Amino acid sequence: MEINAIPEAFQTKLRLAVLSALLTGEKNFRELKNITEATDGNLGAQLKKLEEAGYITVSKAFVNRKPQTSCVLTAFGRQQFKEYVEMLERLLGQAEE
Amino acid sequence: MEINAIPEAFQTKLRLAVLSALLTGEKNFRELKNITEATDGNLGAQLKKLEEAGYITVSKAFVNRKPQTSCVLTAFGRQQFKEYVEMLERLLGQAEE
DNA sequence: ATAGAGAACTCTATATTATAGAGTATAAGG
DNA sequence: CCTTATACTCTATAATATAGAGTTCTCTAT
């Protein structure tokens, strides 16, 4: 990954917070809303972007007779996150030599 | 540093690229322009924001009889960069346990 | 049947912010 | 003076994040 080609997924607090939360496993819409403190509309919009970019998978089902949207990080999403962190580590490392 | 309070400095490619470039030492306006491929106006605007936020120090002088703007990372800027990377590492680390 | 509740959406308007690009100030050199 | 180079300021535009209202869907209760 190059410093001039940082994916949009990492360029807002909200999307980054969503990805971070998903690193530790599946989360539903409510959980993400609590974690990020975003409004329904905004969270929905950003989830859609992350899904379209292939970072997460969104699935819908009825759980306890209530609708539930669940989000999981894709292998690609996890990999990109890792590469992003590694790029930053590399830059920071260079500086300390 | 908290995932819900990521500094704005890290929320665009351009500012992040500037900070990254400065990790390895002082850079002048032209160098930053080449590295980031930004326009004069945009680079100037983002440098101003980074300066106002205390991440960098901008100084002006005449070098070889030409005006030269030089930018250096402040201790605060370096520290914040480090904390940002550490936060991401922590999040990534959690996920792998 | 029908009404109501809860979840999560869609849609639209607004606010914020990044960006481009023109114009400007400054100092040096011819 | 007039030109050149640098780096700025200013303004308009484009892009995009966000808020919030309204909608859809399914289940439950009456």
Side-chain angles (χ1 to χ4, degrees):
Chain A
M1 194 178 293
E2 290 289 327
I3 190 66
N4 274 327
I6 294 172
E8 286 191 0
F10 304 121
Q11 288 183 44
T12 71
K13 260 194 315 206
L14 181 48
R15 286 194 298 261
L16 192 54
V18 167
L19 293 178
S20 299
L22 295 183
L23 278 171
T24 56
E26 189 162 2
K27 297 276 181 305
N28 65 36
F29 194 92
R30 284 295 124 182
E31 289 171 324
L32 291 175
K33 193 157 134 56
N34 288 337
I35 292 169
T36 61
E37 294 171 6
T39 55
D40 281 27
N42 192 18
L43 182 55
Q46 303 306 324
L47 287 179
K48 198 174 173 187
K49 285 185 190 176
L50 287 173
E51 189 179 26
E52 281 168 356
Y55 282 76
I56 67 174
T57 303
V58 177
S59 57
K60 292 158 200 204
F62 272 74
V63 177
N64 292 331
R65 320 189 158 183
K66 287 175 188 167
Q68 179 155 305
T69 295
S70 250
C71 304
V72 279
L73 204 59
T74 61
F76 172 74
R78 186 175 297 274
Q79 177 62 24
Q80 287 292 103
F81 196 103
K82 205 174 158 194
E83 283 185 25
Y84 178 56
V85 177
E86 283 169 358
M87 180 190 68
L88 293 175
E89 284 172 342
R90 206 162 51 238
L91 290 166
L92 197 57
Q94 272 177 13
E96 284 167 353
E97 275 162 22
Chain B
M1 196 178 290
E2 290 289 326
I3 190 65
N4 274 328
I6 295 171
E8 286 192 359
F10 305 122
Q11 287 183 46
T12 71
K13 260 193 316 207
L14 182 47
R15 285 193 298 259
L16 193 53
V18 167
L19 292 179
S20 299
L22 295 183
L23 277 171
T24 55
E26 189 161 1
K27 298 275 181 307
N28 65 36
F29 195 91
R30 283 296 123 183
E31 289 171 323
L32 290 176
K33 194 156 132 57
N34 289 336
I35 291 169
T36 61
E37 294 171 7
T39 55
D40 281 28
N42 193 17
L43 181 56
Q46 302 307 323
L47 287 179
K48 198 174 172 188
K49 285 185 192 178
L50 287 173
E51 189 179 27
E52 282 168 355
Y55 283 75
I56 67 174
T57 303
V58 177
S59 56
K60 294 160 200 205
F62 272 74
V63 176
N64 293 330
R65 320 191 157 186
K66 287 174 188 170
Q68 179 154 304
T69 296
S70 251
C71 304
V72 280
L73 203 58
T74 61
F76 173 74
R78 185 175 298 272
Q79 176 63 21
Q80 287 292 102
F81 196 103
K82 206 174 160 196
E83 282 185 25
Y84 177 56
V85 176
E86 283 170 357
M87 179 190 67
L88 293 175
E89 284 172 342
R90 206 163 51 237
L91 290 165
L92 198 58
Q94 272 177 13
E96 285 167 351
E97 278 163 19

